[in-house]
Amino acid sequence: MKKRWLVGILLVLMALSVTAIGGAVAYVYQTVEQLDIKQLSSEPVPPTVIYDKEEQLIAELSIAKSEPIAFDKIPSRLIQAVVATEDRRFYDHVGIDWIGILRAGWVNFRAGQVLEGGSSITQQLVKNAFLSSERTMDRKIQEAFGAVQMERTYSKDQIITLYLNTIYFGEGAWGVQRAAQIYFGKSVDELTLPEVALLAALPKAPNHYSPFKDAKRSLERRNLVLHLMQENGYITAKEHDQASEAPLPETKHEINRDIKHPSFVYQVIRELKQHYKISEDEVWGGGLKIYTTMDRHLQDTIEKLYQNNAHFPKSADGTTAQSGAVVLDVKTGEIQALMAGRGEIPYLGFHRATDLKRQPGSSIKPVVVYGPALEQGYHPDSMLYDKPLDIAGYQPQNWDRSYRGEVTLQEAVNKSWNIPAVWLLHQMGIDQGLNFAKKLGIPFDKDDRVLPVALGGMKHGVSPLHMAQAYAAFANQGLLHEAHTIKAIYDYDDQEIAIWEASPHQVMKKETALLMSHVLQGVLQSGTGARAAIGRPAAGKTGTTQLPPALASSSNGLLDSWFVGYTPQLSAAVWIGYDSTTAQHHLPSDGGRYSALLWKEIMQHAHQGLPAEAFPQPPAWKKPELLPAPPVVKRAPQPKAKKDKRSEKKKEEKGRGKGKRDD
């Protein structure tokens, strides 16, 4: 009786399982039947469209703008390389390679990690053309059924041609013809064996294996492709050995993508990937509507300013300096304009507004020194030490090599004196300064926990975006909004995918921000930033950095020039310098003025049509007595010793942040 009962239960469960599986398969089959497989050879997918803040079209992105190439123009070696690498039984299966799936499963099981995938080339084409990138069982089943349907519709030659014309090869290259042009500067039918092997190596993880991002990893992957080609009988051992010795491409060949405002658009693509996990494949695959924060008029204006050499200094060899800039709304964090650099802007290449890491000079003082001091109760009339200073061997100097005994905090900021800033940070404690700045989004290395950080002496540095966002918190009464370029994302049917959700943080007391704005207005009124005044209430700070000691001995000039400032509405940061500095390739000694004047030009245009707003008045403060001077810590005489890491670090600290005139 009991046995029959158990058997009955098992039969019922089996029936339910079969019914459920059958229902799921039927559902997936119906879904796949709705896929228009023939659309691959007819109508293209609608492009991804990007709009400015007024919802006017900025750009259209689509793989339809790739350059399809006919099957007879594709080198047979390229097809062999792709088949050997991605789907060695491509010409034998009917869309699903069951043997390949079992082999990949066994290899992955033995390795304890995923080393091989089981998807055929046909499955990959179906996924890229019709399905989302989510890793679910439904999608995998749809992919499998779709591959079988595709094999009934197209020949193998048509499938491999469609695959190579639509797959992403990295560096903005969709389709094999674009890839050949970008990586090698030639047509696909001119590629050599090592070149086709490199292209076949890329689709698995294009950014991971790009020779322009990681040459060692790219070389290993290319040579693996050559090994697989030899293993499958496509090339001889001699051909394998010769091709394995060929160098990788070192220079990317830019092509005309016909994209307006690339500095802004490329940052949107990055933000889609970093913040929303939307890949380049999905962006260029089409069908998205992206609403951004860009002010088209301002972006146009700044791009024209950057084309004018008069706004930028020249080095001794006649080369005009590079630059990066950003303008954002202080009350929302919305980026209104971006400049990645001057000249041609490479696709997702180095972006000087967001990727730059350079020492900010004195423009960091409000963030690391004076902001934390005001937060702790100091105020504009607090008296600061300004005499010769030696703290454990670190001896900062004012840019004019003189001393005033004591100065007010306001005067120290206005004139950008260095000794008061270092003394004040020492009084408060370095951690107080760093912790305050971190809340404003400034990144630090563990080696930055030294007094030269008061003057911008950092191991890596900051970008204009870091600085504009940090200063925006002062303008917005201590409330920090994360900088961003995207407001909303929809699919082509206007179904919501994502909306920017503001999450502001109060990073300092309101009184601190009001006092800082009061202090920094003095810089533009009677301080080192007077030439940046824009005819309405504004606050800001200059910043310059010295040439390295090896160059300073033979040249008189600067490494970096910064101006960071804000109004009650907008915050902006400008950096000017050279990507690579040499004795003949650096800013002139008066290079600091260029960033201030460029900031002025940008902000005057940015505020056209905006009412002039005054900063709220800070609370009143009492004038203090003279603060006691700290004990000067002098180094004890030391016997000569061999160099070690600690002594080298001290020398590095002495060389970081020594005074340089901020004007």
PDB file of all heavy atoms in Angstrom, residues 318-336:
ATOM      1  N   GLY A 318      57.141  75.199 -30.049  1.00  0.00           N
ATOM      2  CA  GLY A 318      56.018  75.676 -30.860  1.00  0.00           C
ATOM      3  C   GLY A 318      54.754  74.853 -30.756  1.00  0.00           C
ATOM      4  O   GLY A 318      53.761  75.152 -31.430  1.00  0.00           O
ATOM      5  N   THR A 319      54.739  73.828 -29.922  1.00  0.00           N
ATOM      6  CA  THR A 319      53.566  72.973 -29.782  1.00  0.00           C
ATOM      7  C   THR A 319      52.552  73.624 -28.847  1.00  0.00           C
ATOM      8  O   THR A 319      52.897  74.054 -27.747  1.00  0.00           O
ATOM      9  CB  THR A 319      53.949  71.592 -29.219  1.00  0.00           C
ATOM     10  OG1 THR A 319      54.967  71.027 -30.040  1.00  0.00           O
ATOM     11  CG2 THR A 319      52.741  70.672 -29.184  1.00  0.00           C
ATOM     12  N   THR A 320      51.301  73.699 -29.274  1.00  0.00           N
ATOM     13  CA  THR A 320      50.246  74.291 -28.450  1.00  0.00           C
ATOM     14  C   THR A 320      49.798  73.304 -27.383  1.00  0.00           C
ATOM     15  O   THR A 320      49.712  72.099 -27.625  1.00  0.00           O
ATOM     16  CB  THR A 320      49.043  74.695 -29.322  1.00  0.00           C
ATOM     17  OG1 THR A 320      49.503  75.498 -30.399  1.00  0.00           O
ATOM     18  CG2 THR A 320      48.032  75.486 -28.512  1.00  0.00           C
ATOM     19  N   ALA A 321      49.489  73.818 -26.203  1.00  0.00           N
ATOM     20  CA  ALA A 321      49.144  72.970 -25.060  1.00  0.00           C
ATOM     21  C   ALA A 321      47.813  72.249 -25.248  1.00  0.00           C
ATOM     22  O   ALA A 321      46.964  72.644 -26.043  1.00  0.00           O
ATOM     23  CB  ALA A 321      49.097  73.816 -23.789  1.00  0.00           C
ATOM     24  N   GLN A 322      47.627  71.187 -24.462  1.00  0.00           N
ATOM     25  CA  GLN A 322      46.376  70.450 -24.407  1.00  0.00           C
ATOM     26  C   GLN A 322      45.531  70.997 -23.263  1.00  0.00           C
ATOM     27  O   GLN A 322      45.983  71.794 -22.448  1.00  0.00           O
ATOM     28  CB  GLN A 322      46.626  68.950 -24.207  1.00  0.00           C
ATOM     29  CG  GLN A 322      46.617  68.139 -25.481  1.00  0.00           C
ATOM     30  CD  GLN A 322      45.234  68.143 -26.152  1.00  0.00           C
ATOM     31  OE1 GLN A 322      44.236  68.604 -25.604  1.00  0.00           O
ATOM     32  NE2 GLN A 322      45.190  67.640 -27.368  1.00  0.00           N
ATOM     33  N   SER A 323      44.285  70.529 -23.179  1.00  0.00           N
ATOM     34  CA  SER A 323      43.408  71.027 -22.129  1.00  0.00           C
ATOM     35  C   SER A 323      42.201  70.118 -21.957  1.00  0.00           C
ATOM     36  O   SER A 323      41.824  69.367 -22.863  1.00  0.00           O
ATOM     37  CB  SER A 323      42.930  72.448 -22.476  1.00  0.00           C
ATOM     38  OG  SER A 323      42.077  72.955 -21.473  1.00  0.00           O
ATOM     39  N   GLY A 324      41.595  70.196 -20.779  1.00  0.00           N
ATOM     40  CA  GLY A 324      40.343  69.518 -20.491  1.00  0.00           C
ATOM     41  C   GLY A 324      39.478  70.430 -19.652  1.00  0.00           C
ATOM     42  O   GLY A 324      39.990  71.236 -18.862  1.00  0.00           O
ATOM     43  N   ALA A 325      38.153  70.352 -19.819  1.00  0.00           N
ATOM     44  CA  ALA A 325      37.265  71.240 -19.076  1.00  0.00           C
ATOM     45  C   ALA A 325      35.918  70.578 -18.858  1.00  0.00           C
ATOM     46  O   ALA A 325      35.498  69.709 -19.631  1.00  0.00           O
ATOM     47  CB  ALA A 325      37.084  72.562 -19.821  1.00  0.00           C
ATOM     48  N   VAL A 326      35.228  71.017 -17.814  1.00  0.00           N
ATOM     49  CA  VAL A 326      33.888  70.527 -17.505  1.00  0.00           C
ATOM     50  C   VAL A 326      33.082  71.648 -16.869  1.00  0.00           C
ATOM     51  O   VAL A 326      33.623  72.472 -16.118  1.00  0.00           O
ATOM     52  CB  VAL A 326      33.943  69.292 -16.576  1.00  0.00           C
ATOM     53  CG1 VAL A 326      34.652  69.616 -15.279  1.00  0.00           C
ATOM     54  CG2 VAL A 326      32.554  68.749 -16.285  1.00  0.00           C
ATOM     55  N   VAL A 327      31.793  71.710 -17.206  1.00  0.00           N
ATOM     56  CA  VAL A 327      30.855  72.655 -16.592  1.00  0.00           C
ATOM     57  C   VAL A 327      29.655  71.854 -16.116  1.00  0.00           C
ATOM     58  O   VAL A 327      29.095  71.058 -16.882  1.00  0.00           O
ATOM     59  CB  VAL A 327      30.378  73.732 -17.588  1.00  0.00           C
ATOM     60  CG1 VAL A 327      29.436  74.722 -16.899  1.00  0.00           C
ATOM     61  CG2 VAL A 327      31.557  74.461 -18.220  1.00  0.00           C
ATOM     62  N   LEU A 328      29.248  72.057 -14.845  1.00  0.00           N
ATOM     63  CA  LEU A 328      28.102  71.313 -14.327  1.00  0.00           C
ATOM     64  C   LEU A 328      27.202  72.202 -13.473  1.00  0.00           C
ATOM     65  O   LEU A 328      27.623  73.229 -12.947  1.00  0.00           O
ATOM     66  CB  LEU A 328      28.553  70.075 -13.558  1.00  0.00           C
ATOM     67  CG  LEU A 328      29.490  70.221 -12.369  1.00  0.00           C
ATOM     68  CD1 LEU A 328      28.704  70.527 -11.099  1.00  0.00           C
ATOM     69  CD2 LEU A 328      30.285  68.929 -12.156  1.00  0.00           C
ATOM     70  N   ASP A 329      25.958  71.767 -13.356  1.00  0.00           N
ATOM     71  CA  ASP A 329      24.956  72.460 -12.549  1.00  0.00           C
ATOM     72  C   ASP A 329      25.171  72.103 -11.084  1.00  0.00           C
ATOM     73  O   ASP A 329      25.153  70.926 -10.717  1.00  0.00           O
ATOM     74  CB  ASP A 329      23.559  72.026 -13.010  1.00  0.00           C
ATOM     75  CG  ASP A 329      22.437  72.834 -12.362  1.00  0.00           C
ATOM     76  OD1 ASP A 329      22.489  73.038 -11.128  1.00  0.00           O
ATOM     77  OD2 ASP A 329      21.509  73.227 -13.076  1.00  0.00           O
ATOM     78  N   VAL A 330      25.374  73.101 -10.229  1.00  0.00           N
ATOM     79  CA  VAL A 330      25.714  72.813  -8.831  1.00  0.00           C
ATOM     80  C   VAL A 330      24.532  72.239  -8.056  1.00  0.00           C
ATOM     81  O   VAL A 330      24.714  71.563  -7.038  1.00  0.00           O
ATOM     82  CB  VAL A 330      26.239  74.073  -8.109  1.00  0.00           C
ATOM     83  CG1 VAL A 330      27.439  74.643  -8.827  1.00  0.00           C
ATOM     84  CG2 VAL A 330      25.144  75.132  -7.946  1.00  0.00           C
ATOM     85  N   LYS A 331      23.304  72.490  -8.507  1.00  0.00           N
ATOM     86  CA  LYS A 331      22.121  72.052  -7.764  1.00  0.00           C
ATOM     87  C   LYS A 331      21.626  70.673  -8.177  1.00  0.00           C
ATOM     88  O   LYS A 331      20.764  70.081  -7.517  1.00  0.00           O
ATOM     89  CB  LYS A 331      20.990  73.073  -7.931  1.00  0.00           C
ATOM     90  CG  LYS A 331      21.286  74.421  -7.272  1.00  0.00           C
ATOM     91  CD  LYS A 331      20.137  75.385  -7.460  1.00  0.00           C
ATOM     92  CE  LYS A 331      20.353  76.669  -6.656  1.00  0.00           C
ATOM     93  NZ  LYS A 331      21.536  77.424  -7.089  1.00  0.00           N
ATOM     94  N   THR A 332      22.176  70.137  -9.282  1.00  0.00           N
ATOM     95  CA  THR A 332      21.732  68.814  -9.753  1.00  0.00           C
ATOM     96  C   THR A 332      22.884  67.859 -10.073  1.00  0.00           C
ATOM     97  O   THR A 332      22.677  66.655 -10.145  1.00  0.00           O
ATOM     98  CB  THR A 332      20.872  68.953 -11.021  1.00  0.00           C
ATOM     99  OG1 THR A 332      21.680  69.519 -12.074  1.00  0.00           O
ATOM    100  CG2 THR A 332      19.659  69.831 -10.776  1.00  0.00           C
ATOM    101  N   GLY A 333      24.088  68.391 -10.318  1.00  0.00           N
ATOM    102  CA  GLY A 333      25.203  67.568 -10.761  1.00  0.00           C
ATOM    103  C   GLY A 333      25.176  67.281 -12.246  1.00  0.00           C
ATOM    104  O   GLY A 333      26.014  66.529 -12.759  1.00  0.00           O
ATOM    105  N   GLU A 334      24.224  67.876 -12.965  1.00  0.00           N
ATOM    106  CA  GLU A 334      24.111  67.619 -14.405  1.00  0.00           C
ATOM    107  C   GLU A 334      25.260  68.299 -15.150  1.00  0.00           C
ATOM    108  O   GLU A 334      25.465  69.507 -15.027  1.00  0.00           O
ATOM    109  CB  GLU A 334      22.774  68.129 -14.933  1.00  0.00           C
ATOM    110  CG  GLU A 334      21.590  67.353 -14.379  1.00  0.00           C
ATOM    111  CD  GLU A 334      20.261  67.829 -14.945  1.00  0.00           C
ATOM    112  OE1 GLU A 334      20.251  68.860 -15.677  1.00  0.00           O
ATOM    113  OE2 GLU A 334      19.226  67.186 -14.670  1.00  0.00           O
ATOM    114  N   ILE A 335      25.998  67.501 -15.911  1.00  0.00           N
ATOM    115  CA  ILE A 335      27.119  68.032 -16.699  1.00  0.00           C
ATOM    116  C   ILE A 335      26.564  68.704 -17.950  1.00  0.00           C
ATOM    117  O   ILE A 335      25.907  68.053 -18.769  1.00  0.00           O
ATOM    118  CB  ILE A 335      28.107  66.918 -17.066  1.00  0.00           C
ATOM    119  CG1 ILE A 335      28.732  66.325 -15.788  1.00  0.00           C
ATOM    120  CG2 ILE A 335      29.192  67.443 -18.001  1.00  0.00           C
ATOM    121  CD1 ILE A 335      29.599  65.109 -16.042  1.00  0.00           C
ATOM    122  N   GLN A 336      26.840  69.981 -18.108  1.00  0.00           N
ATOM    123  CA  GLN A 336      26.293  70.720 -19.245  1.00  0.00           C
ATOM    124  C   GLN A 336      27.234  70.749 -20.443  1.00  0.00           C
ATOM    125  O   GLN A 336      26.792  70.895 -21.578  1.00  0.00           O
ATOM    126  CB  GLN A 336      25.943  72.142 -18.815  1.00  0.00           C
ATOM    127  CG  GLN A 336      24.890  72.168 -17.706  1.00  0.00           C
ATOM    128  CD  GLN A 336      24.159  73.493 -17.625  1.00  0.00           C
ATOM    129  OE1 GLN A 336      24.560  74.486 -18.241  1.00  0.00           O
ATOM    130  NE2 GLN A 336      23.090  73.516 -16.867  1.00  0.00           N
TER     131      GLN A 336
END
